PDB file of all heavy atoms in Angstrom:
ATOM      1  N   SER A  25     130.817 258.836 -51.562  1.00  0.00           N
ATOM      2  CA  SER A  25     130.343 260.222 -51.540  1.00  0.00           C
ATOM      3  C   SER A  25     129.130 260.384 -50.635  1.00  0.00           C
ATOM      4  O   SER A  25     129.044 261.321 -49.830  1.00  0.00           O
ATOM      5  CB  SER A  25     129.989 260.653 -52.974  1.00  0.00           C
ATOM      6  OG  SER A  25     129.437 261.953 -52.984  1.00  0.00           O
ATOM      7  N   LEU A  26     128.188 259.450 -50.720  1.00  0.00           N
ATOM      8  CA  LEU A  26     126.969 259.525 -49.908  1.00  0.00           C
ATOM      9  C   LEU A  26     127.257 259.465 -48.415  1.00  0.00           C
ATOM     10  O   LEU A  26     126.663 260.196 -47.621  1.00  0.00           O
ATOM     11  CB  LEU A  26     126.017 258.389 -50.284  1.00  0.00           C
ATOM     12  CG  LEU A  26     125.078 258.614 -51.460  1.00  0.00           C
ATOM     13  CD1 LEU A  26     124.359 257.324 -51.795  1.00  0.00           C
ATOM     14  CD2 LEU A  26     124.077 259.716 -51.133  1.00  0.00           C
ATOM     15  N   GLN A  27     128.164 258.553 -48.013  1.00  0.00           N
ATOM     16  CA  GLN A  27     128.433 258.394 -46.584  1.00  0.00           C
ATOM     17  C   GLN A  27     129.038 259.656 -45.992  1.00  0.00           C
ATOM     18  O   GLN A  27     128.699 260.064 -44.881  1.00  0.00           O
ATOM     19  CB  GLN A  27     129.367 257.198 -46.338  1.00  0.00           C
ATOM     20  CG  GLN A  27     128.835 255.863 -46.803  1.00  0.00           C
ATOM     21  CD  GLN A  27     127.341 255.693 -46.574  1.00  0.00           C
ATOM     22  OE1 GLN A  27     126.851 255.766 -45.449  1.00  0.00           O
ATOM     23  NE2 GLN A  27     126.599 255.469 -47.648  1.00  0.00           N
ATOM     24  N   ILE A  28     129.937 260.293 -46.735  1.00  0.00           N
ATOM     25  CA  ILE A  28     130.560 261.516 -46.237  1.00  0.00           C
ATOM     26  C   ILE A  28     129.544 262.653 -46.182  1.00  0.00           C
ATOM     27  O   ILE A  28     129.465 263.394 -45.203  1.00  0.00           O
ATOM     28  CB  ILE A  28     131.762 261.903 -47.115  1.00  0.00           C
ATOM     29  CG1 ILE A  28     132.849 260.828 -46.988  1.00  0.00           C
ATOM     30  CG2 ILE A  28     132.324 263.264 -46.701  1.00  0.00           C
ATOM     31  CD1 ILE A  28     134.011 261.003 -47.925  1.00  0.00           C
ATOM     32  N   GLN A  29     128.730 262.797 -47.229  1.00  0.00           N
ATOM     33  CA  GLN A  29     127.703 263.839 -47.235  1.00  0.00           C
ATOM     34  C   GLN A  29     126.715 263.645 -46.095  1.00  0.00           C
ATOM     35  O   GLN A  29     126.324 264.599 -45.418  1.00  0.00           O
ATOM     36  CB  GLN A  29     126.959 263.821 -48.570  1.00  0.00           C
ATOM     37  CG  GLN A  29     127.769 264.307 -49.755  1.00  0.00           C
ATOM     38  CD  GLN A  29     126.992 264.200 -51.050  1.00  0.00           C
ATOM     39  OE1 GLN A  29     125.777 264.380 -51.079  1.00  0.00           O
ATOM     40  NE2 GLN A  29     127.680 263.876 -52.127  1.00  0.00           N
ATOM     41  N   HIS A  30     126.301 262.405 -45.878  1.00  0.00           N
ATOM     42  CA  HIS A  30     125.329 262.105 -44.824  1.00  0.00           C
ATOM     43  C   HIS A  30     125.922 262.391 -43.449  1.00  0.00           C
ATOM     44  O   HIS A  30     125.246 262.883 -42.552  1.00  0.00           O
ATOM     45  CB  HIS A  30     124.895 260.652 -44.939  1.00  0.00           C
ATOM     46  CG  HIS A  30     123.722 260.307 -44.074  1.00  0.00           C
ATOM     47  ND1 HIS A  30     122.517 260.956 -44.170  1.00  0.00           N
ATOM     48  CD2 HIS A  30     123.568 259.375 -43.086  1.00  0.00           C
ATOM     49  CE1 HIS A  30     121.669 260.450 -43.296  1.00  0.00           C
ATOM     50  NE2 HIS A  30     122.286 259.494 -42.629  1.00  0.00           N
ATOM     51  N   LYS A  31     127.208 262.090 -43.285  1.00  0.00           N
ATOM     52  CA  LYS A  31     127.873 262.347 -42.005  1.00  0.00           C
ATOM     53  C   LYS A  31     127.948 263.841 -41.732  1.00  0.00           C
ATOM     54  O   LYS A  31     127.785 264.283 -40.598  1.00  0.00           O
ATOM     55  CB  LYS A  31     129.290 261.748 -42.036  1.00  0.00           C
ATOM     56  CG  LYS A  31     129.992 261.774 -40.683  1.00  0.00           C
ATOM     57  CD  LYS A  31     129.361 260.806 -39.714  1.00  0.00           C
ATOM     58  CE  LYS A  31     130.143 260.715 -38.412  1.00  0.00           C
ATOM     59  NZ  LYS A  31     129.538 259.766 -37.476  1.00  0.00           N
ATOM     60  N   LYS A  32     128.154 264.629 -42.772  1.00  0.00           N
ATOM     61  CA  LYS A  32     128.206 266.077 -42.610  1.00  0.00           C
ATOM     62  C   LYS A  32     126.865 266.642 -42.142  1.00  0.00           C
ATOM     63  O   LYS A  32     126.810 267.549 -41.315  1.00  0.00           O
ATOM     64  CB  LYS A  32     128.560 266.743 -43.947  1.00  0.00           C
ATOM     65  CG  LYS A  32     130.025 266.689 -44.331  1.00  0.00           C
ATOM     66  CD  LYS A  32     130.209 267.453 -45.639  1.00  0.00           C
ATOM     67  CE  LYS A  32     131.670 267.502 -46.050  1.00  0.00           C
ATOM     68  NZ  LYS A  32     131.839 268.249 -47.315  1.00  0.00           N
ATOM     69  N   LYS A  33     125.793 266.092 -42.702  1.00  0.00           N
ATOM     70  CA  LYS A  33     124.465 266.650 -42.457  1.00  0.00           C
ATOM     71  C   LYS A  33     123.877 266.246 -41.124  1.00  0.00           C
ATOM     72  O   LYS A  33     123.129 266.969 -40.505  1.00  0.00           O
ATOM     73  CB  LYS A  33     123.501 266.191 -43.567  1.00  0.00           C
ATOM     74  CG  LYS A  33     123.799 266.806 -44.920  1.00  0.00           C
ATOM     75  CD  LYS A  33     122.830 266.252 -45.950  1.00  0.00           C
ATOM     76  CE  LYS A  33     123.129 266.802 -47.341  1.00  0.00           C
ATOM     77  NZ  LYS A  33     122.239 266.221 -48.366  1.00  0.00           N
ATOM     78  N   LYS A  34     124.239 265.043 -40.654  1.00  0.00           N
ATOM     79  CA  LYS A  34     123.487 264.486 -39.522  1.00  0.00           C
ATOM     80  C   LYS A  34     124.394 263.767 -38.555  1.00  0.00           C
ATOM     81  O   LYS A  34     125.149 262.893 -38.934  1.00  0.00           O
ATOM     82  CB  LYS A  34     122.434 263.513 -40.063  1.00  0.00           C
ATOM     83  CG  LYS A  34     121.482 262.979 -39.007  1.00  0.00           C
ATOM     84  CD  LYS A  34     120.434 262.098 -39.657  1.00  0.00           C
ATOM     85  CE  LYS A  34     119.458 261.526 -38.640  1.00  0.00           C
ATOM     86  NZ  LYS A  34     118.442 260.661 -39.244  1.00  0.00           N
ATOM     87  N   ASN A  35     124.332 264.165 -37.294  1.00  0.00           N
ATOM     88  CA  ASN A  35     125.027 263.436 -36.230  1.00  0.00           C
ATOM     89  C   ASN A  35     123.988 262.719 -35.383  1.00  0.00           C
ATOM     90  O   ASN A  35     123.232 263.337 -34.649  1.00  0.00           O
ATOM     91  CB  ASN A  35     125.830 264.402 -35.345  1.00  0.00           C
ATOM     92  CG  ASN A  35     127.021 264.977 -36.093  1.00  0.00           C
ATOM     93  OD1 ASN A  35     127.717 264.254 -36.783  1.00  0.00           O
ATOM     94  ND2 ASN A  35     127.234 266.279 -35.962  1.00  0.00           N
ATOM     95  N   THR A  36     123.899 261.436 -35.523  1.00  0.00           N
ATOM     96  CA  THR A  36     122.869 260.675 -34.811  1.00  0.00           C
ATOM     97  C   THR A  36     123.279 260.418 -33.370  1.00  0.00           C
ATOM     98  O   THR A  36     124.458 260.359 -33.037  1.00  0.00           O
ATOM     99  CB  THR A  36     122.628 259.330 -35.503  1.00  0.00           C
ATOM    100  OG1 THR A  36     123.877 258.636 -35.608  1.00  0.00           O
ATOM    101  CG2 THR A  36     122.085 259.546 -36.902  1.00  0.00           C
ATOM    102  N   ASN A  37     122.306 260.265 -32.500  1.00  0.00           N
ATOM    103  CA  ASN A  37     122.584 259.957 -31.109  1.00  0.00           C
ATOM    104  C   ASN A  37     123.076 258.528 -30.961  1.00  0.00           C
ATOM    105  O   ASN A  37     122.674 257.645 -31.710  1.00  0.00           O
ATOM    106  CB  ASN A  37     121.303 260.146 -30.267  1.00  0.00           C
ATOM    107  CG  ASN A  37     120.874 261.596 -30.214  1.00  0.00           C
ATOM    108  OD1 ASN A  37     121.707 262.490 -30.185  1.00  0.00           O
ATOM    109  ND2 ASN A  37     119.567 261.817 -30.198  1.00  0.00           N
ATOM    110  N   GLU A  38     123.919 258.312 -29.972  1.00  0.00           N
ATOM    111  CA  GLU A  38     124.417 256.967 -29.707  1.00  0.00           C
ATOM    112  C   GLU A  38     123.298 256.075 -29.195  1.00  0.00           C
ATOM    113  O   GLU A  38     122.471 256.490 -28.395  1.00  0.00           O
ATOM    114  CB  GLU A  38     125.513 257.012 -28.637  1.00  0.00           C
ATOM    115  CG  GLU A  38     126.890 257.282 -29.166  1.00  0.00           C
ATOM    116  CD  GLU A  38     127.933 257.053 -28.092  1.00  0.00           C
ATOM    117  OE1 GLU A  38     127.714 257.501 -26.948  1.00  0.00           O
ATOM    118  OE2 GLU A  38     128.961 256.441 -28.391  1.00  0.00           O
ATOM    119  N   SER A  39     123.281 254.846 -29.652  1.00  0.00           N
ATOM    120  CA  SER A  39     122.318 253.878 -29.146  1.00  0.00           C
ATOM    121  C   SER A  39     122.771 253.377 -27.778  1.00  0.00           C
ATOM    122  O   SER A  39     123.916 253.604 -27.358  1.00  0.00           O
ATOM    123  CB  SER A  39     122.213 252.692 -30.109  1.00  0.00           C
ATOM    124  OG  SER A  39     123.426 251.961 -30.103  1.00  0.00           O
ATOM    125  N   LEU A  40     121.871 252.679 -27.106  1.00  0.00           N
ATOM    126  CA  LEU A  40     122.206 252.102 -25.805  1.00  0.00           C
ATOM    127  C   LEU A  40     123.386 251.142 -25.919  1.00  0.00           C
ATOM    128  O   LEU A  40     124.313 251.178 -25.100  1.00  0.00           O
ATOM    129  CB  LEU A  40     120.984 251.369 -25.239  1.00  0.00           C
ATOM    130  CG  LEU A  40     121.209 250.567 -23.949  1.00  0.00           C
ATOM    131  CD1 LEU A  40     121.659 251.476 -22.816  1.00  0.00           C
ATOM    132  CD2 LEU A  40     119.943 249.802 -23.563  1.00  0.00           C
ATOM    133  N   MET A  41     123.377 250.282 -26.947  1.00  0.00           N
ATOM    134  CA  MET A  41     124.458 249.308 -27.110  1.00  0.00           C
ATOM    135  C   MET A  41     125.804 249.998 -27.294  1.00  0.00           C
ATOM    136  O   MET A  41     126.821 249.590 -26.730  1.00  0.00           O
ATOM    137  CB  MET A  41     124.161 248.400 -28.301  1.00  0.00           C
ATOM    138  CG  MET A  41     125.181 247.291 -28.506  1.00  0.00           C
ATOM    139  SD  MET A  41     125.233 246.086 -27.154  1.00  0.00           S
ATOM    140  CE  MET A  41     123.710 245.185 -27.450  1.00  0.00           C
ATOM    141  N   LYS A  42     125.826 251.082 -28.062  1.00  0.00           N
ATOM    142  CA  LYS A  42     127.072 251.810 -28.270  1.00  0.00           C
ATOM    143  C   LYS A  42     127.567 252.431 -26.965  1.00  0.00           C
ATOM    144  O   LYS A  42     128.765 252.463 -26.675  1.00  0.00           O
ATOM    145  CB  LYS A  42     126.883 252.883 -29.336  1.00  0.00           C
ATOM    146  CG  LYS A  42     126.751 252.340 -30.742  1.00  0.00           C
ATOM    147  CD  LYS A  42     126.686 253.471 -31.757  1.00  0.00           C
ATOM    148  CE  LYS A  42     126.469 252.933 -33.161  1.00  0.00           C
ATOM    149  NZ  LYS A  42     127.605 252.167 -33.660  1.00  0.00           N
ATOM    150  N   LYS A  43     126.646 252.936 -26.177  1.00  0.00           N
ATOM    151  CA  LYS A  43     127.034 253.536 -24.894  1.00  0.00           C
ATOM    152  C   LYS A  43     127.610 252.492 -23.945  1.00  0.00           C
ATOM    153  O   LYS A  43     128.591 252.752 -23.233  1.00  0.00           O
ATOM    154  CB  LYS A  43     125.828 254.230 -24.253  1.00  0.00           C
ATOM    155  CG  LYS A  43     125.404 255.494 -24.980  1.00  0.00           C
ATOM    156  CD  LYS A  43     124.261 256.197 -24.271  1.00  0.00           C
ATOM    157  CE  LYS A  43     123.898 257.488 -24.990  1.00  0.00           C
ATOM    158  NZ  LYS A  43     122.848 258.255 -24.275  1.00  0.00           N
ATOM    159  N   LEU A  44     127.021 251.303 -23.945  1.00  0.00           N
ATOM    160  CA  LEU A  44     127.528 250.229 -23.084  1.00  0.00           C
ATOM    161  C   LEU A  44     128.944 249.831 -23.481  1.00  0.00           C
ATOM    162  O   LEU A  44     129.822 249.642 -22.639  1.00  0.00           O
ATOM    163  CB  LEU A  44     126.600 249.016 -23.145  1.00  0.00           C
ATOM    164  CG  LEU A  44     125.196 249.216 -22.589  1.00  0.00           C
ATOM    165  CD1 LEU A  44     124.353 247.970 -22.840  1.00  0.00           C
ATOM    166  CD2 LEU A  44     125.226 249.525 -21.095  1.00  0.00           C
ATOM    167  N   HIS A  45     129.182 249.718 -24.783  1.00  0.00           N
ATOM    168  CA  HIS A  45     130.521 249.367 -25.247  1.00  0.00           C
ATOM    169  C   HIS A  45     131.502 250.509 -24.997  1.00  0.00           C
ATOM    170  O   HIS A  45     132.684 250.272 -24.765  1.00  0.00           O
ATOM    171  CB  HIS A  45     130.495 248.991 -26.725  1.00  0.00           C
ATOM    172  CG  HIS A  45     130.102 247.561 -26.960  1.00  0.00           C
ATOM    173  ND1 HIS A  45     131.017 246.544 -27.056  1.00  0.00           N
ATOM    174  CD2 HIS A  45     128.887 246.986 -27.098  1.00  0.00           C
ATOM    175  CE1 HIS A  45     130.389 245.401 -27.251  1.00  0.00           C
ATOM    176  NE2 HIS A  45     129.093 245.632 -27.281  1.00  0.00           N
ATOM    177  N   ARG A  46     131.008 251.750 -25.034  1.00  0.00           N
ATOM    178  CA  ARG A  46     131.900 252.873 -24.747  1.00  0.00           C
ATOM    179  C   ARG A  46     132.321 252.847 -23.280  1.00  0.00           C
ATOM    180  O   ARG A  46     133.480 253.117 -22.952  1.00  0.00           O
ATOM    181  CB  ARG A  46     131.218 254.203 -25.094  1.00  0.00           C
ATOM    182  CG  ARG A  46     132.167 255.391 -25.002  1.00  0.00           C
ATOM    183  CD  ARG A  46     131.844 256.416 -26.066  1.00  0.00           C
ATOM    184  NE  ARG A  46     130.613 257.105 -25.822  1.00  0.00           N
ATOM    185  CZ  ARG A  46     130.517 258.241 -25.118  1.00  0.00           C
ATOM    186  NH1 ARG A  46     131.591 258.781 -24.576  1.00  0.00           N
ATOM    187  NH2 ARG A  46     129.352 258.819 -24.961  1.00  0.00           N
ATOM    188  N   VAL A  47     131.408 252.492 -22.383  1.00  0.00           N
ATOM    189  CA  VAL A  47     131.766 252.342 -20.972  1.00  0.00           C
ATOM    190  C   VAL A  47     132.809 251.239 -20.807  1.00  0.00           C
ATOM    191  O   VAL A  47     133.799 251.399 -20.090  1.00  0.00           O
ATOM    192  CB  VAL A  47     130.506 252.023 -20.123  1.00  0.00           C
ATOM    193  CG1 VAL A  47     130.899 251.547 -18.719  1.00  0.00           C
ATOM    194  CG2 VAL A  47     129.611 253.256 -20.017  1.00  0.00           C
ATOM    195  N   LYS A  48     132.595 250.123 -21.485  1.00  0.00           N
ATOM    196  CA  LYS A  48     133.553 249.017 -21.441  1.00  0.00           C
ATOM    197  C   LYS A  48     134.927 249.475 -21.928  1.00  0.00           C
ATOM    198  O   LYS A  48     135.959 249.154 -21.326  1.00  0.00           O
ATOM    199  CB  LYS A  48     133.029 247.868 -22.306  1.00  0.00           C
ATOM    200  CG  LYS A  48     133.889 246.621 -22.332  1.00  0.00           C
ATOM    201  CD  LYS A  48     133.140 245.520 -23.075  1.00  0.00           C
ATOM    202  CE  LYS A  48     133.989 244.269 -23.242  1.00  0.00           C
ATOM    203  NZ  LYS A  48     134.927 244.387 -24.358  1.00  0.00           N
ATOM    204  N   ASN A  49     134.953 250.259 -23.005  1.00  0.00           N
ATOM    205  CA  ASN A  49     136.217 250.770 -23.538  1.00  0.00           C
ATOM    206  C   ASN A  49     136.894 251.730 -22.573  1.00  0.00           C
ATOM    207  O   ASN A  49     138.116 251.721 -22.422  1.00  0.00           O
ATOM    208  CB  ASN A  49     135.971 251.484 -24.869  1.00  0.00           C
ATOM    209  CG  ASN A  49     135.568 250.536 -25.978  1.00  0.00           C
ATOM    210  OD1 ASN A  49     135.874 249.352 -25.924  1.00  0.00           O
ATOM    211  ND2 ASN A  49     134.869 251.032 -26.971  1.00  0.00           N
ATOM    212  N   ILE A  50     136.092 252.584 -21.917  1.00  0.00           N
ATOM    213  CA  ILE A  50     136.642 253.550 -20.953  1.00  0.00           C
ATOM    214  C   ILE A  50     137.347 252.813 -19.820  1.00  0.00           C
ATOM    215  O   ILE A  50     138.466 253.150 -19.424  1.00  0.00           O
ATOM    216  CB  ILE A  50     135.525 254.465 -20.390  1.00  0.00           C
ATOM    217  CG1 ILE A  50     135.037 255.428 -21.470  1.00  0.00           C
ATOM    218  CG2 ILE A  50     136.041 255.248 -19.176  1.00  0.00           C
ATOM    219  CD1 ILE A  50     133.774 256.186 -21.095  1.00  0.00           C
ATOM    220  N   ILE A  51     136.691 251.774 -19.301  1.00  0.00           N
ATOM    221  CA  ILE A  51     137.283 251.001 -18.193  1.00  0.00           C
ATOM    222  C   ILE A  51     138.564 250.315 -18.643  1.00  0.00           C
ATOM    223  O   ILE A  51     139.604 250.402 -17.987  1.00  0.00           O
ATOM    224  CB  ILE A  51     136.270 249.956 -17.669  1.00  0.00           C
ATOM    225  CG1 ILE A  51     135.054 250.651 -17.060  1.00  0.00           C
ATOM    226  CG2 ILE A  51     136.931 249.049 -16.622  1.00  0.00           C
ATOM    227  CD1 ILE A  51     133.905 249.712 -16.743  1.00  0.00           C
ATOM    228  N   SER A  52     138.512 249.643 -19.800  1.00  0.00           N
ATOM    229  CA  SER A  52     139.656 248.863 -20.275  1.00  0.00           C
ATOM    230  C   SER A  52     140.861 249.724 -20.626  1.00  0.00           C
ATOM    231  O   SER A  52     142.002 249.301 -20.473  1.00  0.00           O
ATOM    232  CB  SER A  52     139.264 248.042 -21.511  1.00  0.00           C
ATOM    233  OG  SER A  52     138.260 247.119 -21.177  1.00  0.00           O
ATOM    234  N   SER A  53     140.598 250.941 -21.120  1.00  0.00           N
ATOM    235  CA  SER A  53     141.695 251.788 -21.580  1.00  0.00           C
ATOM    236  C   SER A  53     142.242 252.721 -20.504  1.00  0.00           C
ATOM    237  O   SER A  53     143.203 253.445 -20.740  1.00  0.00           O
ATOM    238  CB  SER A  53     141.240 252.623 -22.784  1.00  0.00           C
ATOM    239  OG  SER A  53     140.169 253.473 -22.424  1.00  0.00           O
ATOM    240  N   SER A  54     141.650 252.718 -19.327  1.00  0.00           N
ATOM    241  CA  SER A  54     142.144 253.597 -18.248  1.00  0.00           C
ATOM    242  C   SER A  54     142.103 252.855 -16.914  1.00  0.00           C
ATOM    243  O   SER A  54     141.418 253.263 -15.983  1.00  0.00           O
ATOM    244  CB  SER A  54     141.313 254.880 -18.180  1.00  0.00           C
ATOM    245  OG  SER A  54     139.928 254.580 -18.094  1.00  0.00           O
ATOM    246  N   LEU A  55     142.838 251.751 -16.846  1.00  0.00           N
ATOM    247  CA  LEU A  55     142.822 250.901 -15.651  1.00  0.00           C
ATOM    248  C   LEU A  55     143.468 251.565 -14.446  1.00  0.00           C
ATOM    249  O   LEU A  55     143.282 251.124 -13.310  1.00  0.00           O
ATOM    250  CB  LEU A  55     143.517 249.572 -15.952  1.00  0.00           C
ATOM    251  CG  LEU A  55     142.819 248.682 -16.992  1.00  0.00           C
ATOM    252  CD1 LEU A  55     143.647 247.445 -17.269  1.00  0.00           C
ATOM    253  CD2 LEU A  55     141.419 248.299 -16.531  1.00  0.00           C
ATOM    254  N   ASN A  56     144.239 252.620 -14.684  1.00  0.00           N
ATOM    255  CA  ASN A  56     144.843 253.337 -13.559  1.00  0.00           C
ATOM    256  C   ASN A  56     143.829 254.229 -12.845  1.00  0.00           C
ATOM    257  O   ASN A  56     144.114 254.781 -11.785  1.00  0.00           O
ATOM    258  CB  ASN A  56     146.024 254.187 -14.032  1.00  0.00           C
ATOM    259  CG  ASN A  56     145.619 255.211 -15.071  1.00  0.00           C
ATOM    260  OD1 ASN A  56     144.800 254.933 -15.942  1.00  0.00           O
ATOM    261  ND2 ASN A  56     146.177 256.405 -14.995  1.00  0.00           N
ATOM    262  N   GLU A  57     142.647 254.361 -13.425  1.00  0.00           N
ATOM    263  CA  GLU A  57     141.563 255.131 -12.805  1.00  0.00           C
ATOM    264  C   GLU A  57     140.448 254.172 -12.385  1.00  0.00           C
ATOM    265  O   GLU A  57     140.164 253.210 -13.078  1.00  0.00           O
ATOM    266  CB  GLU A  57     140.994 256.144 -13.797  1.00  0.00           C
ATOM    267  CG  GLU A  57     141.981 257.182 -14.283  1.00  0.00           C
ATOM    268  CD  GLU A  57     142.288 258.236 -13.244  1.00  0.00           C
ATOM    269  OE1 GLU A  57     141.502 258.372 -12.279  1.00  0.00           O
ATOM    270  OE2 GLU A  57     143.319 258.925 -13.392  1.00  0.00           O
ATOM    271  N   GLN A  58     139.828 254.468 -11.264  1.00  0.00           N
ATOM    272  CA  GLN A  58     138.682 253.656 -10.835  1.00  0.00           C
ATOM    273  C   GLN A  58     137.444 254.551 -10.822  1.00  0.00           C
ATOM    274  O   GLN A  58     137.180 255.261  -9.855  1.00  0.00           O
ATOM    275  CB  GLN A  58     138.938 253.039  -9.456  1.00  0.00           C
ATOM    276  CG  GLN A  58     140.075 252.037  -9.442  1.00  0.00           C
ATOM    277  CD  GLN A  58     139.834 250.894  -8.461  1.00  0.00           C
ATOM    278  OE1 GLN A  58     138.707 250.525  -8.170  1.00  0.00           O
ATOM    279  NE2 GLN A  58     140.921 250.315  -7.959  1.00  0.00           N
ATOM    280  N   TYR A  59     136.716 254.512 -11.928  1.00  0.00           N
ATOM    281  CA  TYR A  59     135.536 255.356 -12.055  1.00  0.00           C
ATOM    282  C   TYR A  59     134.348 254.740 -11.322  1.00  0.00           C
ATOM    283  O   TYR A  59     134.139 253.534 -11.355  1.00  0.00           O
ATOM    284  CB  TYR A  59     135.159 255.525 -13.529  1.00  0.00           C
ATOM    285  CG  TYR A  59     136.166 256.287 -14.351  1.00  0.00           C
ATOM    286  CD1 TYR A  59     136.954 255.633 -15.298  1.00  0.00           C
ATOM    287  CD2 TYR A  59     136.321 257.661 -14.190  1.00  0.00           C
ATOM    288  CE1 TYR A  59     137.877 256.334 -16.072  1.00  0.00           C
ATOM    289  CE2 TYR A  59     137.234 258.368 -14.952  1.00  0.00           C
ATOM    290  CZ  TYR A  59     138.010 257.699 -15.882  1.00  0.00           C
ATOM    291  OH  TYR A  59     138.920 258.393 -16.649  1.00  0.00           O
ATOM    292  N   SER A  60     133.562 255.602 -10.713  1.00  0.00           N
ATOM    293  CA  SER A  60     132.320 255.143 -10.107  1.00  0.00           C
ATOM    294  C   SER A  60     131.270 254.991 -11.199  1.00  0.00           C
ATOM    295  O   SER A  60     131.413 255.520 -12.313  1.00  0.00           O
ATOM    296  CB  SER A  60     131.824 256.156  -9.068  1.00  0.00           C
ATOM    297  OG  SER A  60     131.430 257.365  -9.696  1.00  0.00           O
ATOM    298  N   VAL A  61     130.197 254.266 -10.893  1.00  0.00           N
ATOM    299  CA  VAL A  61     129.109 254.102 -11.859  1.00  0.00           C
ATOM    300  C   VAL A  61     128.523 255.465 -12.215  1.00  0.00           C
ATOM    301  O   VAL A  61     128.196 255.732 -13.380  1.00  0.00           O
ATOM    302  CB  VAL A  61     128.007 253.179 -11.289  1.00  0.00           C
ATOM    303  CG1 VAL A  61     126.794 253.153 -12.211  1.00  0.00           C
ATOM    304  CG2 VAL A  61     128.544 251.765 -11.084  1.00  0.00           C
ATOM    305  N   LYS A  62     128.441 256.340 -11.229  1.00  0.00           N
ATOM    306  CA  LYS A  62     127.890 257.679 -11.475  1.00  0.00           C
ATOM    307  C   LYS A  62     128.756 258.451 -12.464  1.00  0.00           C
ATOM    308  O   LYS A  62     128.254 259.130 -13.368  1.00  0.00           O
ATOM    309  CB  LYS A  62     127.790 258.434 -10.156  1.00  0.00           C
ATOM    310  CG  LYS A  62     126.861 259.631 -10.202  1.00  0.00           C
ATOM    311  CD  LYS A  62     126.521 260.102  -8.802  1.00  0.00           C
ATOM    312  CE  LYS A  62     125.423 261.148  -8.857  1.00  0.00           C
ATOM    313  NZ  LYS A  62     125.023 261.587  -7.512  1.00  0.00           N
ATOM    314  N   GLU A  63     130.079 258.361 -12.306  1.00  0.00           N
ATOM    315  CA  GLU A  63     130.992 259.048 -13.221  1.00  0.00           C
ATOM    316  C   GLU A  63     130.876 258.493 -14.632  1.00  0.00           C
ATOM    317  O   GLU A  63     130.872 259.249 -15.610  1.00  0.00           O
ATOM    318  CB  GLU A  63     132.431 258.917 -12.717  1.00  0.00           C
ATOM    319  CG  GLU A  63     132.728 259.737 -11.473  1.00  0.00           C
ATOM    320  CD  GLU A  63     134.097 259.433 -10.878  1.00  0.00           C
ATOM    321  OE1 GLU A  63     134.521 258.251 -10.930  1.00  0.00           O
ATOM    322  OE2 GLU A  63     134.733 260.366 -10.355  1.00  0.00           O
ATOM    323  N   LEU A  64     130.783 257.165 -14.751  1.00  0.00           N
ATOM    324  CA  LEU A  64     130.645 256.541 -16.064  1.00  0.00           C
ATOM    325  C   LEU A  64     129.313 256.927 -16.706  1.00  0.00           C
ATOM    326  O   LEU A  64     129.240 257.161 -17.925  1.00  0.00           O
ATOM    327  CB  LEU A  64     130.752 255.025 -15.940  1.00  0.00           C
ATOM    328  CG  LEU A  64     132.132 254.485 -15.554  1.00  0.00           C
ATOM    329  CD1 LEU A  64     132.041 253.010 -15.183  1.00  0.00           C
ATOM    330  CD2 LEU A  64     133.129 254.678 -16.693  1.00  0.00           C
TER     331      LEU A  64
END
């Protein structure tokens, strides 16, 4: 109950580590695209 209530109330910003892994995921999941560093 607490986790769901807390999620409703607050959306926290992504940390640097999460952003780095999200970039890694973007590259791995869309190999047919070649994104520039600026786009990422």
Side-chain angles (χ1 to χ4, degrees):
S25 176
L26 275 172
Q27 300 322 301
I28 295 173
Q29 289 177 34
H30 191 58
K31 189 70 174 181
K32 282 183 177 180
K33 291 178 182 177
K34 186 177 180 181
N35 290 316
T36 55
N37 294 325
E38 274 191 316
S39 68
L40 173 61
M41 184 65 73
K42 288 185 183 293
K43 289 183 178 184
L44 295 175
H45 277 268
R46 188 145 70 90
V47 167
K48 182 172 175 280
N49 291 336
I50 289 169
I51 296 170
S52 297
S53 62
S54 53
L55 295 176
N56 59 321
E57 298 286 342
Q58 295 214 28
Y59 294 109
S60 67
V61 173
K62 198 165 189 177
E63 289 172 324
L64 292 168

